Amino acid sequence: MRIFRGPESVPHVSEGQKTAAVGELHRLAGDIEATSPGFAGRIRSLASALEDALPSAALAAFVEALSRMVRFEGAGRDAGLALVALPPAAIAALGPEGFAAWCDAVLRIGAHSTRGAQAFAVGSLASLTRAPAAIVHLAETASAVALLAERHPTDPLVQRFASAAGQAIETRSGAVVGAWAEYCEAALFGARRSGSPLEPLPEITELSDEVLAAAVDLAASAARVDRSKGRRVFAAAPGALAGVPPASRDSVTALARLLTQDAEALLDVLEFAGPVLRRLDRPARWMVVDLATEIAGRARSAVPRFLRSVLRVGEAVGFGRDLEAFVREGLALAEIHPVAAEAYFALETRGARAFLERHDAAVVLEDVESTLRGYVHLIEGARLPVLGVEARGLFTPLASDRESISVGKRMSVFPIWEENFTLVKLQATLAALWRREGAFDFSLARWLGREPDEKDGGIEDFFRRFASPEAASGLFVHFEALRVMPKLAESYPGLASDLREIRERIFPSDRVSAEAGPLAAILFLALGGALENVTFAGVGAEDVRALAHMARGGIATVYDSARCTTVFSDLLAEGSLSAVLDLDAFMAEDPMMQYLLDLEDAESAAAPGEPKDAPKRPDESYEGHGERSDETAPGIAADEDVLRAYLEQNPDLTVRRSEGPIDPNGLFVAGLTGGGLDGETPERSGASPDAVFALARMGRQSRGVHLHDEWDHRIGDYRVGWCQVHDVLLEGDSGEFFTSALARRRELLPEVRRQFQRVKPEGYRVLRGLLDGEDFDLNAVVDARADLRAHHNPDTKLYTERRREERDVATLFLLDMSASTDEEIEAKPSPAADDDAPPEVASLVARAPKEKRRRIIDIQKEALVIMSQALEELGDVYAIYGFSGHGRNQVELFTVKSFDEPLNVAVRGRIGGIEPQRSTRMGAALRQAVACFRNVASRSKHLILLSDGFPQDFDYGDDRRSNVYGLKDTAMALREAERGGISTYCITVDRAGNDYLREMCPEKRYLVIDEIDELPLELPKIYSETTRRG
Amino acid sequence: MTVAAGAENAPYYLPIHDEIEIFTAAYESRLPVLLKGPTGCGKTRFVEFMAHRLLGSVPRRERVPPLITVACHEDLTGSDLVGRYLIQGDDTVWIDGPLTQAVRSGSICYLDEVVEARKDTIVLIHPLTDHRRILPIDKRGEIVEAHPDFLLVISYNPGYQSVLKDLKHSTRQRFVSIDFDYPPRDREAEIVRHESGVDADTALTLATLGEKVRHLRGAGLGEGVSTRLLVYAGQLIARGLAPRRACSVAVTNSLTDDPEMLRSVGELVSALFA
């Protein structure tokens, strides 16, 4: 009797076999009756139930398995119980082979660990009953578990792993479990603190067994180097690989395998590979992974940086030969120093930036903004802000008001920078022309034929009336461009002739045929094409021609453009336009026409039932786009569009992991998180003086942030925009320090004055050998007389004259306000404590709290007090700045006295307010100090640096203890100052200063002061020495 | 040092306002004249034109031209203007300076950019500019009375001179002041056309360039471009140089060294000229 339909292969078996099997069951029950009567009873009752329910072959296999388990010393109980609990249907499904394989697997583990075998038996039996096909994974899985059990027979983790492995065979192959076992062994076993949880295999169904096994294998390799990092890789790798496009997963794994020695790099690479590769089309993906693999072979740590920046680099230079050249250049640097390659691939060095600039055809507004602003000022006579917007096709949307000029943020339509710039210039010129030509005078009420009233709508309201406002706005700017083009050609014939070049890029031979359709004609005319070169055809063609005619006659108004916009928006909505416009033909001729596809996209977006903003899962849309670009546009030129489309459509991509120092040059990350350029890091936009970031610390207000490059001697290049120097106004006291210091050091002043008397020019300088002058030069006269007597021609330059000498010196004192200046100096009887001090001075001194505890900085301040007092008398221009900071993004330059401030109460107070702060990042401070000289016209400029030790900051070079990096950077900053015509002088009160100052400063331009107390006297001496030639 | 207006050919000058009438009236009363205006707007040309118009037909003594121009600089001394003793052979001889020459012969003496000169020269001209009309020469102990035709004209550019080099009120208030500025576009186009020989269209474009560049006056470009530079550019164009190149060398590069500004003006030039 067959109740269950067994597998077809199950042969009909005789009743005799069945009886034998049942008999075997009873015998088994008898065997264990003594030790576990309950179990025996269950077997007996099972025997009668199964006899009816199962075909005899299945029954025989089951009995065989049960008896093997029961016989299996110690381990058999749990496995047996699990077997007994199996429903008849499952037993039938598993079949004889299944039981045989299962038993083999369990016993194989059991050879090394009975507990492991039991756990595996229970786990795998559950899996097998759910998925009988998993039987093929049994043997391999079991051998992996057995291997583990053999090596770690006593570890309790084996049991847990065996159980998990048994469950895993339901979905994963033995190879995966094998890798997992290796990972567990490396990461968990033998740890001093046991009890670490066993991490389950990640459930990511879209990963194939091979990829998952490879991912787990990566974690195992990493764990062999460092357990905890291995665990992080285990947690991150499978998910990260799932984010990588399927075709590239193998190569990314191979790349990652090269990095297992450096888990941080590995994690970074895994994290970025997906987001980056998804944004690329297939050939570019191959190339990027290949290049990354090549880099991994020579500079492991540079790979993540390369991946982070590759989108930006690719956008600039394309994914072709130039990208390869970029990588070659970086690899050549790796030969010099690994750090050099890291910095290069992170685009931190000037070399890398220069490479991009050399190869980038895109016009980035940031770079040309001031040129454009000047240009608009020139043509319009008004200072208008130039704003970057996303261009629609070649043109930018009409600005919201007439008080600004909008141009494309980044235009890379054409392969040559100059052509892209012409386009941007056209955008700016059009925006300027629209201001005059009434584009902003549009009144919706008038358009609708109503009387204009207060609630009169503008052009934006007009666009909103369309199914797709974007498409309408895009069309409108094209018509507006077309409308003012005759004016442009008249006013700016040069620009008009330049337009011809970019027009010919799109329309070879500068003509538009009838087949191209009206959209092409519009574009052609909007780019200044001649009306005669257009053959009109198709719907709407007449409207375009009429507009062009009116424009030429100078009678077209903004309403005519609006009318055409209406006509064509309707055509787009009807869908009749794409038939008119043979895009494919254009695409084949010139990939630049890609942008017209945008118009078509806008059309489809306007169609009902297909909402444009429907949320899409990032992965789907990546793949979708990637494929489309592969099929429709084989050329490289389309890549950038696709790339941009990705970035725009997926603002929800964020970076999950931000451990370690935040890398400001992970710019593409910034672009992703912030959704485009607006989210760029402050460093990038910080170059503009408007960017003011408040310093939360100590309530000080940063008045502006300046970016400075920093010299890295290891890479032999500057790191671009590396330091943020904050301009901070120092808060001062009410001047008591100044007054008391002056009193304390009053005996110095006459001496300093004497010093300065010598510096000060006598007022006049005698010039000799003049043709005419105030007095005879007697020597010359005698010579002339002698010459005459000797019948020679006498020299006629017989006069002398006194000329007024003018001293023209500007000096900046840059004071180190690092924490080390807080150091106390040995107490010395203060001269001001003398009894003969006038009573008011004595009282002032007594009130000065600093008197008790005199620090290096107090002496430095005193020196500045004396200097500034004396300089006021000398009349030289001078400024005082202090610097300190913490880290490269927080260098602070404190303004004590700027060049154009007099020595007023506020300045006196600020000198008193100088207090020790934090670190000493000298290079950045020097560069900013040099920038302070910008508006100083003096003939001779000097910078005197007062410090108390070597340059130092926590991130001033990799190694905190080594100060080589800081020294080299400071030396470079000093050299830059000298090149800029500013002579520098370094004074330090550090007795060890001789060594490094010699290295850092120009020869004979430094001084080490042994006795700090002498600084107030020495400083004026040095000043008069250095500035004497001024 | 001296430039003479030839008696035969009248210099070209296109009046913008009533400056000819004012100057004529001032000359008739022998009132010294101060010409104020930016560089290259036609002050010197105007004086040349007026000298020719007023004195061109007057017979000249000792071939002294009707106009004597002195370009003042910071090392210009009183002796440079008045004259000095020079050694000639075995003797020292007195040589009249340009100012003395003009005073004696009845020419118009034009001191260009007078504030540039050293202070002693300014004092020197004071007695010449009031009712006394005398020139004391202390080295010779001589006082020269001005010829009835003599007139002192000075020019002064309020734009770029620093505060330090301002004209003292005691000097300033001795002169009739005529303000000059760059001509309006059509006038300037006419001047450029006449002076350089380019066609009217190019001249107009050059004038447009001038007008637009002057938008930047005070915003980094000091005074904007002078008519003189536009004429230079026109002359280069008339000689066959490509207009963009001509404007670049004659206008853009001469205006400023600021790279940003250079680029902006360069873009304007390329927008205007094909």
Side-chain angles (χ1 to χ4, degrees):
Chain A
M1 181 171 84
R2 280 184 68 184
I3 297 172
F4 294 104
R5 203 156 50 84
E8 295 300 319
S9 59
V10 174
H12 184 76
V13 282
S14 70
E15 284 300 308
Q17 275 177 313
K18 214 168 184 172
T19 318
V22 172
E24 175 67 21
L25 275 181
H26 284 289
R27 196 163 42 256
L28 258 182
D31 283 353
I32 57 170
E33 185 72 57
T35 49
S36 47
F39 191 22
R42 287 191 66 182
I43 293 179
R44 287 203 184 91
S45 61
L46 191 67
S48 51
L50 290 181
E51 186 175 1
D52 294 338
L54 283 180
S56 61
L59 187 61
F62 174 75
V63 172
E64 163 76 10
L66 188 59
S67 61
R68 282 177 76 181
M69 284 302 118
V70 169
R71 276 198 301 277
F72 174 34
E73 180 81 27
R77 293 296 298 276
D78 284 357
L81 280 172
L83 276 175
V84 168
L86 279 181
I91 298 173
L94 214 52
E97 297 87 354
F99 281 112
W102 181 75
C103 285
D104 289 347
V106 173
L107 292 176
R108 179 150 185 206
I109 300 169
H112 304 289
S113 158
T114 44
R115 284 171 177 277
Q118 278 183 33
F120 182 77
V122 176
S124 59
L125 200 56
S127 303
L128 286 171
T129 50
R130 282 193 296 270
I135 203 164
V136 295
H137 304 319
L138 260 178
E140 202 178 348
T141 305
S143 58
V145 178
L147 197 65
L148 203 61
E150 185 182 356
R151 290 199 200 143
H152 308 274
T154 57
D155 200 310
L157 265 175
V158 171
Q159 187 186 351
R160 266 186 275 160
F161 182 79
S163 167
Q167 285 158 24
I169 60 166
E170 182 180 345
T171 48
R172 290 299 177 189
S173 73
V176 177
V177 179
W180 190 23
E182 281 187 34
Y183 161 71
C184 288
E185 183 174 23
L188 306 174
F189 283 96
R192 199 167 288 169
R193 269 175 297 157
S194 62
S196 34
L198 179 73
E199 293 118 314
L201 274 181
E203 288 172 17
I204 301 172
T205 46
E206 64 217 86
L207 279 188
S208 72
D209 285 348
E210 289 73 30
V211 176
L212 183 60
V216 176
D217 193 47
L218 280 178
S221 309
R224 277 182 211 114
V225 181
D226 181 321
R227 281 167 192 276
S228 64
K229 282 179 182 160
R231 295 175 72 160
R232 273 167 58 199
V233 175
F234 182 78
L241 280 176
V244 174
S248 304
R249 284 176 190 162
D250 284 344
S251 46
V252 169
T253 320
L255 165 66
R257 206 165 285 136
L258 294 172
L259 302 172
T260 47
Q261 293 297 311
D262 184 348
E264 289 298 337
L266 174 63
L267 283 164
D268 267 351
V269 165
L270 287 173
E271 180 177 338
F272 287 106
V276 169
L277 294 180
R278 284 201 301 264
R279 282 173 178 71
L280 299 175
D281 63 3
R282 216 168 272 164
R285 269 181 219 156
W286 289 121
M287 175 158 211
V288 167
V289 177
D290 280 354
L291 289 173
T293 311
E294 193 176 340
I295 297 169
R298 290 159 72 181
R300 270 204 300 266
S301 52
V303 180
R305 288 169 172 83
F306 169 71
L307 274 186
R308 282 178 192 217
S309 64
V310 71
L311 281 189
R312 165 134 189 242
V313 178
E315 197 174 0
V317 308
F319 292 90
R321 197 167 293 166
D322 284 343
L323 182 61
E324 277 177 13
F326 176 80
V327 171
R328 298 266 170 283
E329 206 162 290
L331 285 178
L333 287 175
E335 304 292 319
I336 306 168
H337 203 295
V339 180
E342 278 174 36
Y344 175 87
F345 284 118
L347 301 184
E348 283 162 3
T349 68
R350 283 191 188 171
R353 300 285 178 101
F355 185 95
L356 290 196
E357 246 161 58
R358 274 201 306 279
H359 291 84
D360 194 356
V363 172
V364 182
L365 178 60
E366 218 173 280
D367 300 338
V368 297
E369 190 191 350
S370 58
T371 304
L372 280 180
R373 225 181 5 226
Y375 171 72
V376 171
H377 191 171
L378 282 164
I379 63 171
E380 275 299 279
R383 285 169 186 260
L384 300 169
V386 176
L387 305 178
V389 296
E390 293 300 332
R392 276 190 192 129
L394 298 189
F395 297 98
T396 47
L398 203 62
S400 53
D401 61 71
R402 65 173 78 220
E403 294 315 315
S404 65
I405 300 288
S406 45
V407 300
K409 261 185 203 164
R410 184 190 154 88
M411 299 304 299
S412 58
V413 181
F414 301 106
I416 301 173
W417 190 92
E418 280 71 19
E419 291 175 347
N420 286 319
F421 185 76
T422 302
L423 184 59
V424 174
K425 191 169 155 186
L426 170 68
Q427 290 167 353
T429 314
L430 281 176
L433 278 173
W434 285 334
R435 295 175 75 230
R436 298 168 181 273
E437 299 297 332
F440 292 97
D441 299 338
F442 183 86
S443 143
L444 188 60
R446 220 186 120 192
W447 166 253
L448 296 173
R450 286 203 308 258
E451 276 302 304
D453 56 14
E454 284 159 24
K455 288 177 290 180
D456 194 8
I459 194 72
E460 291 296 328
D461 302 285
F462 171 69
F463 295 148
R464 271 196 279 279
R465 296 166 62 86
F466 291 92
S468 164
E470 287 82 20
S473 155
L475 281 167
F476 179 75
V477 287
H478 281 74
F479 289 120
E480 275 296 277
L482 190 163
R483 182 173 73 86
V484 300
M485 198 44 78
K487 292 260 164 33
L488 185 140
E490 183 195 328
S491 308
Y492 307 105
L495 179 58
S497 83
D498 287 347
L499 281 183
R500 187 191 164 96
E501 280 168 32
I502 63 172
R503 212 161 53 229
E504 285 184 347
R505 282 268 175 203
I506 304 173
F507 305 98
S509 73
D510 204 18
R511 313 196 140 264
V512 178
S513 60
E515 307 89 68
L519 276 192
I522 294 167
L523 179 67
F524 181 74
L525 294 170
L527 286 176
L531 197 51
E532 291 72 28
N533 292 349
V534 183
T535 318
F536 286 100
V539 202
E542 274 316 305
D543 297 276
V544 180
R545 195 218 298 271
L547 179 64
H549 269 295
M550 282 195 286
R552 185 180 275 190
I555 53 168
T557 65
V558 65
Y559 297 100
D560 297 312
S561 298
R563 197 163 300 118
C564 282
T565 306
T566 321
V567 171
F568 276 84
S569 285
D570 290 349
L571 288 175
L572 278 172
E574 287 162 19
S576 53
L577 205 56
S578 50
V580 179
L581 183 67
D582 184 7
L583 275 173
D584 290 341
F586 266 86
M587 290 295 301
E589 274 174 36
D590 195 326
M592 297 310 153
M593 284 302 291
Q594 170 78 8
Y595 91 93
L596 269 179
L597 276 176
D598 294 349
L599 272 182
E600 205 185 29
D601 284 350
E603 170 215 353
S604 65
E610 203 185 326
K612 192 184 175 189
D613 301 321
K616 290 177 186 168
R617 282 203 48 211
D619 291 11
E620 290 166 8
S621 62
Y622 293 145
E623 284 312 306
H625 267 268
E627 301 312 323
R628 194 191 83 171
S629 86
D630 282 354
E631 286 157 21
T632 55
I636 284 291
D639 292 352
E640 294 188 352
D641 292 348
V642 177
L643 213 107
R644 207 180 316 290
Y646 288 158
L647 283 166
E648 281 162 14
Q649 287 177 10
N650 297 284
D652 51 343
L653 264 169
T654 53
V655 176
R656 290 150 295 167
R657 202 177 54 89
S658 61
E659 292 166 9
I662 292 166
D663 189 346
N665 286 294
L667 17 104
F668 109 82
V669 174
L672 288 186
T673 46
L677 293 168
D678 299 336
E680 287 252 70
T681 44
E683 286 97 311
R684 217 143 292 290
S685 51
S688 78
D690 310 335
V692 177
F693 305 97
L695 283 183
R697 198 167 63 89
M698 297 170 78
R700 277 195 301 261
Q701 204 71 29
S702 169
R703 300 190 298 172
V705 181
H706 309 272
L707 284 179
H708 287 284
D709 297 355
E710 188 166 283
W711 175 256
D712 186 337
H713 68 101
R714 294 166 306 172
I715 65 177
D717 198 349
Y718 287 93
R719 289 180 183 265
V720 182
W722 197 244
C723 298
Q724 282 183 41
V725 181
H726 297 253
D727 177 3
V728 184
L729 191 66
L730 197 68
E731 275 176 36
D733 60 11
S734 50
E736 58 265 15
F737 181 90
F738 194 94
T739 321
S740 69
L742 211 55
R744 202 158 46 223
R745 296 288 192 167
R746 68 184 191 284
E747 89 285 2
L748 278 183
L749 264 181
E751 168 67 23
V752 171
R753 260 184 218 130
R754 259 198 310 279
Q755 280 274 347
F756 283 6
Q757 283 303 318
R758 269 177 267 150
V759 174
K760 206 168 180 172
E762 290 138 25
Y764 291 97
R765 181 163 54 107
V766 177
L767 286 184
R768 296 174 189 280
L770 298 178
L771 275 177
D772 183 30
E774 295 165 338
D775 206 349
F776 287 114
D777 181 345
L778 283 179
N779 289 339
V781 170
V782 170
D783 286 349
R785 291 304 306 175
D787 282 345
L788 272 178
R789 285 283 171 85
H791 300 287
H792 287 295
N793 255 349
D795 190 354
T796 56
K797 295 176 177 170
L798 304 178
Y799 293 90
T800 63
E801 193 178 71
R802 291 189 305 158
R803 289 269 167 90
R804 183 185 284 277
E805 266 281 85
E806 274 170 35
R807 193 175 153 84
D808 194 7
V809 177
T811 308
L812 188 147
F813 295 91
L814 186 60
L815 181 67
D816 175 5
M817 286 164 61
S818 62
S820 52
T821 53
D822 202 24
E823 206 173 294
E824 228 168 302
I825 56 161
E826 291 148 34
K828 213 181 166 190
S830 167
D834 293 355
D835 297 334
D836 60 342
E840 69 273 25
V841 171
S843 71
L844 272 172
V845 171
R847 265 189 281 130
K850 310 273 162 31
E851 195 53 23
K852 294 172 196 131
R853 183 176 163 269
R854 292 182 6 110
R855 305 161 299 172
I856 293 176
I857 198 147
D858 294 324
I859 309 289
Q860 288 181 336
K861 281 157 74 177
E862 279 176 7
L864 286 180
V865 169
I866 302 295
M867 267 317 289
S868 48
Q869 189 66 28
L871 279 172
E872 283 301 312
E873 292 167 27
L874 183 59
D876 284 359
V877 185
Y878 68 102
I880 304 171
Y881 288 88
F883 73 95
S884 183
H886 188 64
R888 66 188 177 92
N889 291 330
Q890 198 67 272
V891 182
E892 293 159 324
L893 191 75
F894 300 93
T895 308
V896 179
K897 176 189 177 301
S898 61
F899 278 112
D900 45 10
E901 255 174 316
L903 180 66
N904 52 24
V905 180
V907 170
R908 285 168 204 235
R910 273 180 241 141
I911 294 179
I914 296 173
E915 282 299 317
Q917 307 282 344
R918 298 198 273 189
S919 304
T920 326
R921 206 181 192 96
M922 238 175 237
L926 275 169
R927 290 188 180 97
Q928 182 56 32
V930 167
C932 293
F933 275 100
R934 204 170 21 219
N935 294 324
V936 175
S938 295
R939 213 169 39 221
S940 119
K941 301 171 188 170
H942 304 271
L943 194 156
I944 297 181
L945 176 67
L946 278 170
S947 79
D948 74 326
F950 45 76
Q952 198 179 22
D953 198 353
F954 76 91
D955 59 350
Y956 215 15
D958 279 347
D959 185 359
R960 256 200 102 155
R961 285 158 303 171
S962 155
N963 41 46
V964 179
Y965 184 100
L967 283 180
K968 298 267 186 192
D969 177 47
T970 307
M972 191 53 93
L974 288 170
R975 217 172 301 160
E976 286 162 27
E978 299 271 345
R979 272 204 296 267
I982 298 165
S983 83
T984 58
Y985 200 96
C986 299
I987 304 169
T988 185
V989 293
D990 180 9
R991 287 192 188 131
N994 250 328
D995 303 334
Y996 62 81
L997 281 182
R998 193 180 307 132
E999 203 177 307
M1000 202 168 83
C1001 307
E1003 211 181 335
K1004 294 186 181 161
R1005 312 285 296 161
Y1006 64 90
L1007 179 77
V1008 180
I1009 293 185
D1010 289 333
E1011 206 55 63
I1012 169 78
D1013 229 27
E1014 284 171 6
L1015 184 66
L1017 183 61
E1018 287 294 329
L1019 187 58
K1021 273 189 197 161
I1022 292 159
Y1023 179 82
S1024 45
E1025 264 315 293
T1026 53
T1027 63
R1028 194 166 48 183
R1029 281 161 299 160
Chain B
M1 185 171 279
T2 59
V3 175
E8 313 80 33
N9 307 320
Y12 172 79
Y13 183 79
L14 187 68
I16 308 300
H17 295 295
D18 53 354
E19 62 268 27
I20 294 181
E21 291 76 21
I22 296 173
F23 194 97
T24 311
Y27 183 76
E28 277 159 9
S29 314
R30 300 296 186 267
L31 299 176
V33 177
L34 163 64
L35 307 179
K36 274 206 286 194
T39 182
C41 67
K43 300 188 293 286
T44 304
R45 178 61 66 88
F46 174 66
V47 181
E48 284 172 16
F49 171 78
M50 289 312 296
H52 185 271
R53 186 184 164 112
L54 297 171
L55 294 173
S57 53
V58 179
R60 311 298 311 152
R61 194 184 73 162
E62 293 167 12
R63 304 170 47 145
V64 176
L67 175 67
I68 294 175
T69 303
V70 181
C72 300
H73 52 84
E74 53 191 6
D75 283 335
L76 187 90
T77 64
S79 328
D80 291 331
L81 285 181
V82 175
R84 56 166 60 98
Y85 281 107
L86 290 180
I87 295 174
Q88 280 185 357
D90 216 358
D91 298 318
T92 48
V93 286
W94 173 259
I95 305 289
D96 274 347
L99 181 61
T100 316
Q101 270 190 325
V103 170
R104 286 193 209 275
S105 64
S107 303
I108 292 177
C109 183
Y110 176 48
L111 303 180
D112 200 0
E113 305 290 8
V114 73
V115 285
E116 290 288 345
R118 290 171 59 177
K119 299 281 183 290
D120 55 337
T121 56
I122 308 281
V123 184
L124 211 64
I125 61 177
H126 279 195
L128 275 173
T129 49
D130 51 27
H131 65 279
R132 293 173 283 176
R133 285 171 62 82
I134 51 167
L135 176 66
I137 306 176
D138 51 356
K139 278 190 184 154
R140 283 165 67 91
E142 181 185 358
I143 290 177
V144 183
E145 284 207 24
H147 187 284
D149 289 345
F150 169 79
L151 188 77
L152 185 68
V153 180
I154 64 175
S155 80
Y156 160 60
N157 181 349
Y160 76 81
Q161 262 103 14
S162 62
V163 193
L164 295 171
K165 284 186 172 170
D166 207 358
L167 212 51
K168 272 191 230 154
H169 274 272
S170 58
T171 310
R172 180 187 282 251
Q173 294 199 8
R174 292 164 181 273
F175 292 88
V176 172
S177 295
I178 306 178
D179 270 331
F180 279 73
D181 201 347
Y182 298 118
R185 184 169 63 162
D186 47 350
R187 292 284 176 102
E188 190 162 37
E190 174 55 26
I191 295 167
V192 171
R193 191 194 58 76
H194 181 274
E195 291 288 290
S196 66
V198 291
D199 59 70
D201 278 351
T202 311
L204 189 62
T205 316
L206 280 169
T208 311
L209 173 67
E211 184 190 56
K212 296 209 180 279
V213 167
R214 285 172 204 140
H215 285 148
L216 283 189
R217 271 166 110 165
L221 258 194
E223 304 192 314
V225 61
S226 63
T227 308
R228 178 167 46 217
L229 278 183
L230 295 177
V231 170
Y232 287 176
Q235 284 171 340
L236 294 178
I237 293 170
R239 293 270 171 198
L241 218 59
R244 282 186 184 183
R245 186 75 190 127
C247 290
S248 157
V249 295
V251 178
T252 319
N253 293 346
S254 310
L255 283 180
T256 174
D257 292 324
D258 176 9
E260 291 295 345
M261 197 76 78
L262 278 176
R263 249 173 273 155
S264 293
V265 179
E267 289 308 328
L268 174 65
V269 167
S270 73
L272 288 174
F273 288 97

